[in-house]
Amino acid sequence: MSHSVYVTGTGRGDGRQVVDLGVMELLTRHVDRVGVFRPLVHDDGPDRLFELLRARYRLSQPAGTAYGTGYEEAAALQAERGTDELVSRLVDRFHRVSREYEFVLVLGTDYADTALPAELNLNARLANEFGASLLAVVGGQNQTAQSVQAEAGNAYAAFDSLGCDVVAVIANRVDPGARQAVSDALASRLPVPCYVLPEDASLSAPTVRQIVQALGAEVLLGDDAGLSRDARDFVFGGAMLPTFLAALTEGALVVTPGDRADLIIGSLAAHAAGAPSIAGVLLTLDERPGPDIMALASRLAPGTPVVSVPGKSFPTAGELFALEGKLNAGSPRKAETALGLFDRHVDTAALTERISLARSGRVTPMMFEHALIERSRERRRRVVLPEGTEERVLRAADVLLRRDICDLVLLGDEETVRRRVTDLGVDLRDARIVDPRTSPLRERFAERYAKLRAHKGVDRELAYDVVADVSYFGTLMVQEGLADGMVSGAAHSTAATIRPAFEIIRTAEGARIVSSVFFMCLADRVLVYGDCAVNPDPDAEQLADIAVQSAATAAQFGVEPRVAMLSYSTGTSGSGRDVDKVRRATELVRKLRPDLLVEGPIQYDAAVDATVAAAKLPGSEVAGRATVLVFPDLNTGNNTYKAVQRSAGAVAVGPVLQGLRKPVNDLSRGALVPDIVTTVAITAIQAQGGNP
């Protein structure tokens, strides 16, 4: 039987989508198969929140199963045949979903033009009939602290009196200045946990894309990233250019008649200079600049939206001020902001316990990725990213900061980095930007590097040139304690990333070599593969070291280490130089770590398949249950991980370097933004040290 939680409010404007998204994130951290059910939906197209959840969490649930019925149909049914008939129909449709999933997130009604009487009572009854715990949300926008406290208290009392199992109350969109006072007051008044989320202007700001859709605007210039920018303010052009430029604000959408070429070019030039960065330009009166002006605009600020509407500026202003940002599948940055807000202000561990959320016995790729992000936040670390002008790195940095995963340092020419940030429309105000060529640290790092490499003939003059390289500068920041870890490789070779680490940070005490692992996230478990990226042909001693390091890395990331030393034969069935190497390495591992479960030589099938293991190595504590698979050489390891990744649809996280005194990790040059986010989270966890 599945479990469920019912998220509902008491009226409109509570920004409940932030809570819905946060709860879904919490559920998918612990449960493999989560379903979604919205009892009532509007009949004006696909439900944007379900589409967001389905896209973000890769739900396989068909949209048709996620909905009970439309509001109009529900109102008619209730009027003609009564509430009992409506509830009975919705309960039946809910159970069709609950039979298919371990846990169901129920999204309550939205109180928006629903024509349903006693809507709060209907939500309460549905929660009871579904057997769901209830999470109540109240809105605090434009309310005093006293009003929010009263609203939260009334919501709890109302649902409790109707027999609901209220697990928590969340006050959302509260004035940031009053958040702590409201939190303290509610903690002493309510018998259940109460969490207070402050208003975040970026969540209520519409994106340029949402403005285009709402106004039916025509996009003249701009790319997908530009259309995703938040319009945090509106500046209406009418003054002469010097006065107009002084009125520009960060993230503003410029609204001007289409024949004001001076204001169009002036605002885009200001954006290109970063003073300030604008969301885009909206042209009114159905006027369009000539081709020469448009060509100049595209060169000044590539990707920045320029859109056109036929209406006049005044009525357009009225429509703009009525818009509010919405979470949907087309606004991933808002989703990251919402999740960061939820995680900062909600005790997710306590809420997990309150809704009786038992962790699934399976570990899916998404669950593993969620666990990494949770762990990375436990003790905040600072990670340096040397490739500060690379688009994927900047987009990943935006996600890392929105999710509150770690502090960041970006390396590169400051003007170039800021221009790229402006062009991409990402928010990196909380990141530190350092130019190795002009930084005061360059002198200090040159002296340090010259001492470290004096035995190789490196003098201070040569060192001064070397440390201006972003990879060397970033590595020295880690060595000197100015950053806790480094991630690079999106635009640099593996050698360029790890050579400075070998020279400066060097191997950890007790480690013979630096090696690597991949976390292979299969459909139902996570395996650790080593070494698939660094050492071409390790000898027996090095192979044993790789095994010990890989087991320690596995334990650090919550994978119980059971080590399989792989070969083309199992047990005593084969002989030869390659098999003997693995047999010797296995013996060394047992001497180095007598507490570690290890088996070898063993073939891959016997290591991971219980049926094969029973035939080939009956009674082994590792065979058929191995979690750490150590390959005899790089050729075997690299090809195997790629074969499993492609043929089994596994998510490969890595390579994660091990054996260094401080964490430095390499990216594939084909790394996507999520890959970079995950690698930075891993690096932050490595910098924390210790096991979970």
Side-chain angles (χ1 to χ4, degrees):
M1 179 179 175
S2 71
H3 297 279
S4 55
V5 60
Y6 195 114
V7 182
T8 185
T10 59
R12 298 185 63 177
D14 55 21
R16 200 187 322 150
Q17 297 86 355
V18 172
V19 179
D20 293 331
L21 188 64
V23 173
M24 187 65 172
E25 179 86 4
L26 183 62
L27 295 177
T28 55
R29 290 175 187 171
H30 296 81
V31 177
D32 177 17
R33 297 176 65 252
V34 180
V36 177
F37 185 70
R38 187 186 280 283
L40 300 174
V41 294
H42 292 282
D43 300 319
D44 54 357
D47 183 80
R48 58 180 175 79
L49 182 58
F50 175 71
E51 293 303 318
L52 167 62
L53 297 177
R54 185 161 65 168
R56 183 176 185 86
Y57 298 103
R58 302 189 284 275
L59 303 182
S60 59
Q61 180 181 0
T65 68
Y67 312 132
T69 189
Y71 279 105
E72 290 185 12
E73 182 182 352
L77 181 64
Q78 188 175 33
E80 293 172 12
R81 305 180 63 179
T83 301
D84 287 352
E85 181 66 25
L86 171 62
V87 170
S88 176
R89 181 175 298 185
L90 295 177
V91 168
D92 179 63
R93 293 183 180 177
F94 166 77
H95 283 304
R96 294 180 193 176
V97 177
S98 68
R99 284 192 290 268
E100 301 295 325
Y101 299 93
E102 295 177 62
F103 208 104
V104 180
L105 170 61
V106 186
L107 310 173
T109 67
D110 60 14
Y111 297 87
D113 303 320
T114 61
L116 291 170
E119 199 165 337
L120 184 147
N121 291 46
L122 177 62
N123 280 298
R125 181 169 177 188
L126 289 175
N128 291 334
E129 298 290 355
F130 295 169
S133 302
L134 186 139
L135 183 58
V137 183
V138 298
Q141 187 183 35
N142 301 322
Q143 293 193 47
T144 64
Q146 292 76 16
S147 177
V148 177
Q149 293 165 25
E151 213 35 58
N154 291 339
Y156 172 78
F159 287 117
D160 182 62
S161 69
L162 292 167
C164 297
D165 173 26
V166 182
V167 292
V169 176
I170 295 182
N172 190 31
R173 305 188 71 178
V174 174
D175 179 352
R179 194 202 72 81
Q180 192 59 53
V182 172
S183 181
D184 293 342
L186 290 176
S188 61
R189 292 185 184 184
L190 296 182
V192 298
C194 189
Y195 308 111
V196 182
L197 309 186
E199 175 78 275
D200 187 313
S202 66
L203 288 175
S204 57
T207 64
V208 178
R209 179 180 288 104
Q210 289 169 345
I211 291 171
V212 167
Q213 292 169 346
L215 273 60
E218 179 185 354
V219 179
L220 306 180
L221 292 175
D223 58 18
D224 187 67
L227 291 169
S228 298
R229 296 178 190 173
D230 295 328
R232 300 199 293 269
D233 192 10
F234 301 111
V235 176
F236 295 86
M240 298 301 291
L241 184 59
T243 305
F244 169 76
L245 290 177
L248 289 177
T249 58
E250 191 74 24
L253 179 71
V254 172
V255 183
T256 180
D259 58 359
R260 289 296 302 271
D262 57 333
L263 302 186
I264 298 167
I265 296 302
S267 58
L268 293 174
H271 172 84
S277 302
I278 62 172
V281 179
L282 189 152
L283 309 179
T284 61
L285 299 178
D286 209 19
E287 292 280 348
R288 291 167 173 76
D292 292 344
I293 296 297
M294 294 302 292
L296 178 57
S298 66
R299 290 196 297 271
L300 274 173
T304 298
V306 177
V307 304
S308 174
V309 294
K312 297 180 180 179
S313 296
F314 186 76
T316 298
E319 292 183 83
L320 289 172
F321 285 122
L323 290 176
E324 188 168 300
K326 301 292 184 182
L327 288 172
N328 58 41
S331 57
R333 291 171 56 201
K334 285 188 184 296
E336 300 294 353
T337 300
L339 289 172
L341 192 71
F342 188 87
D343 281 331
R344 279 194 297 275
H345 299 288
V346 173
D347 185 341
T348 54
L351 185 57
T352 297
E353 187 173 345
R354 293 281 298 174
I355 61 177
S356 303
L357 186 56
R359 186 175 290 275
S360 172
R362 294 167 44 141
V363 180
T364 67
M366 185 172 290
M367 291 165 69
F368 182 69
E369 291 167 11
H370 288 331
L372 291 178
I373 291 174
E374 281 188 280
R375 289 273 313 282
S376 65
R377 293 194 186 108
E378 289 177 1
R379 284 180 289 153
R380 195 176 181 88
R381 291 293 183 259
R382 178 182 292 109
V383 178
V384 58
L385 305 176
E387 297 159 324
T389 59
E390 164 64 37
E391 178 178 345
R392 290 165 294 158
V393 170
L394 293 174
R395 294 196 185 283
D398 185 40
V399 174
L400 290 160
L401 293 173
R402 287 175 185 269
R403 295 296 306 275
D404 205 29
I405 292 173
C406 62
D407 294 323
L408 293 176
V409 180
L410 300 169
L411 301 186
D413 175 72
E414 184 168 358
E415 183 179 345
T416 304
V417 173
R418 294 197 183 280
R419 187 180 301 116
R420 290 290 286 152
V421 167
T422 296
D423 289 343
L424 295 172
V426 293
D427 184 359
L428 300 183
R429 288 171 292 178
D430 293 332
R432 180 185 172 198
I433 302 173
V434 177
D435 185 350
R437 297 174 306 167
T438 60
S439 170
L441 293 169
R442 186 175 178 182
E443 293 279 356
R444 169 181 160 186
F445 286 176
E447 292 181 10
R448 176 69 168 152
Y449 183 71
K451 289 180 181 179
L452 287 170
R453 305 296 291 171
H455 65 290
K456 293 292 186 180
V458 176
D459 58 19
R460 189 189 171 287
E461 184 177 354
L462 177 58
Y464 188 77
D465 291 335
V466 170
V467 301
D469 177 86
V470 290
S471 297
Y472 277 91
F473 193 92
T475 305
L476 281 156
M477 287 191 76
V478 176
Q479 176 64 22
E480 295 295 290
L482 301 173
D484 300 302
M486 184 179 89
V487 173
S488 186
H492 289 83
S493 67
T494 295
T497 298
I498 65 177
R499 185 185 298 114
F502 290 165
E503 294 179 2
I504 297 165
I505 295 176
R506 301 177 180 174
T507 56
E509 184 177 353
R512 295 173 59 90
I513 56 173
V514 173
S515 61
S516 73
V517 296
F518 279 89
F519 290 98
M520 300 300 295
C521 303
L522 304 174
D524 59 351
R525 54 185 160 166
V526 176
L527 301 178
V528 177
Y529 284 10
D531 172 11
C532 304
V534 178
N535 296 285
D537 189 17
D539 59 28
E541 287 74 17
Q542 292 171 330
L543 200 59
D545 193 56
I546 291 169
V548 170
Q549 289 182 28
S550 300
T553 299
Q556 186 180 22
F557 289 92
V559 178
E560 183 182 353
R562 293 186 291 272
V563 182
M565 307 294 287
L566 299 176
S567 179
Y568 59 77
S569 71
T570 295
T572 59
S573 66
S575 61
R577 185 177 65 86
D578 291 338
V579 179
D580 291 342
K581 179 180 79 168
V582 174
R583 185 172 289 115
R584 168 67 178 152
T586 305
E587 293 170 356
L588 289 172
V589 172
R590 288 179 175 140
K591 289 179 181 178
L592 292 168
R593 287 284 307 275
D595 60 310
L596 200 60
L597 294 177
V598 59
E599 190 69 71
I602 186 171
Q603 291 161 290
Y604 191 99
D605 58 350
V608 300
D609 188 295
T611 302
V612 177
K616 292 188 175 183
L617 277 177
S620 170
E621 293 184 273
V622 173
R625 303 173 61 238
T627 56
V628 178
L629 297 108
V630 179
F631 294 91
D633 54 59
L634 186 59
N635 181 53
T636 307
N638 192 270
N639 278 293
T640 302
Y641 107 75
K642 289 181 178 177
V644 172
Q645 180 185 31
R646 298 299 177 186
S647 61
V651 176
V653 178
V656 177
L657 297 184
Q658 52 191 16
L660 288 167
R661 294 182 182 180
K662 297 185 178 184
V664 170
N665 280 310
D666 179 41
L667 297 165
S668 163
R669 273 176 279 184
L672 303 176
V673 170
D675 301 328
I676 300 171
V677 171
T678 301
T679 303
V680 171
I682 285 174
T683 306
I685 295 168
Q686 287 180 308
Q688 294 171 357
N691 291 341

